[in-house]
Amino acid sequence: MTSDDDLRPYFDAAAANLTFNSPLGDARAAALLERLAPPVADARVLDLGCGSGELLLRLCARHGLAGDGVDTHAGDLGRARHRAAERGLDDRVAFHEADATTWAAAAPVVLNVGAGHIWGDAPDAFAALHRHTEPGGMLLFGDGVYEAEPDAAVREIFGDLPDLAALARAATDAGLRVLYATTSTVAEWDDFESDWRAGIERLGTPGARAFADQRREEYLGGYRGVVGFAWLILTPA
């Protein structure tokens, strides 16, 4: 059986070709950043599971903030630090190679995009992220949802995802108020999937092409329009 470790070179190549490692377009990113204007002028942003750090860096640049990104993958963190240095943000945005589940600090603005699984299911993630979000602060949470009933093959890949309404209910059950809720468009998904595969195609090996072909078929023939990506902005109740 092929493990994630065996596929890591492909995942790294895909990630290196992406601006955001999620179905997120520039227009939506800019709109989310406006909604995340900090409640206090000297707020420090915390991104748990930051990956390559693009959203954290844009948020800090837009609002003149400092921040911390936490992730376990050295390759993603290397890209994040390079991006910070290129934009002159490395003096106020720090990236930490650490398990986000062990991070103790709270912040007035918290990001967690595509990484809620590190705590378990959505209720566990919301409970943990509630503790990391200061009273009166804001949490941006992004994760997969079903937007249509999946067939057996799609469910085998993605498991038991909630729909958007169930995800919002899980947030409120954890003591968070839902300020904003939406999902990525199919066009954002198409761009993300195409750019993800393009990074792998650049490796140029038969194995890389076969893996990209498999991903293309799974997407176009399976989860396109079925799996969505939710964006919630939340605040402690």
Side-chain angles (χ1 to χ4, degrees):
M1 180 180 294
T2 303
S3 69
D4 283 352
D5 287 341
D6 295 328
L7 298 174
R8 175 53 65 185
Y10 300 151
F11 295 149
D12 286 345
N17 195 52
L18 296 170
T19 302
F20 304 104
N21 201 350
S22 58
L24 175 63
D26 284 331
R28 184 184 305 280
L32 289 171
L33 299 187
E34 289 305 310
R35 290 179 180 273
L36 291 169
V40 292
D42 59 349
R44 190 171 185 94
V45 183
L46 176 61
D47 190 343
L48 295 168
C50 65
S52 298
E54 184 66 25
L55 201 58
L56 172 62
L57 291 168
R58 291 194 186 195
L59 182 59
C60 289
R62 172 66 185 85
H63 296 294
L65 306 175
D68 295 285
V70 184
D71 207 288
T72 58
H73 185 49
D76 286 340
L77 291 170
R79 285 186 287 275
R81 293 180 181 120
H82 179 71
R83 291 177 181 184
E86 280 189 324
R87 301 173 201 183
L89 294 171
D90 50 334
D91 61 336
R92 53 192 171 99
V93 182
F95 291 96
H96 310 269
E97 187 172 351
D99 181 350
T101 65
T102 68
W103 195 260
V109 182
V110 179
L111 311 179
N112 180 253
V113 177
H117 60 86
I118 64 177
W119 290 282
D121 58 14
D124 291 334
F126 286 133
L129 291 164
H130 188 295
R131 295 191 295 269
H132 284 290
T133 309
E134 293 178 358
M138 286 184 292
L139 163 65
L140 173 66
F141 182 81
D143 210 353
V145 293
Y146 284 132
E147 296 199 275
E149 184 64 28
D151 63 19
V154 170
R155 190 176 291 277
E156 183 176 357
I157 296 171
F158 292 94
D160 294 324
L161 299 179
D163 61 17
L164 182 60
L167 189 67
R169 284 194 293 271
T172 59
D173 288 346
L176 296 160
R177 299 292 300 165
V178 180
L179 303 180
Y180 179 76
T182 191
T183 56
S184 297
T185 65
V186 172
E188 286 176 300
W189 269 103
D190 288 346
D191 288 346
F192 167 66
E193 290 284 340
S194 296
D195 292 343
W196 197 93
R197 295 193 308 272
I200 296 169
E201 293 277 2
R202 289 199 177 101
L203 294 174
T205 65
R209 292 192 180 107
F211 186 64
D213 288 346
Q214 176 186 330
R215 174 73 170 232
R216 185 194 67 244
E217 183 55 36
E218 288 173 346
Y219 176 59
L220 295 179
Y223 62 89
R224 184 178 188 267
V226 176
V227 176
F229 200 86
W231 299 96
L232 302 181
I233 296 178
L234 309 161
T235 190

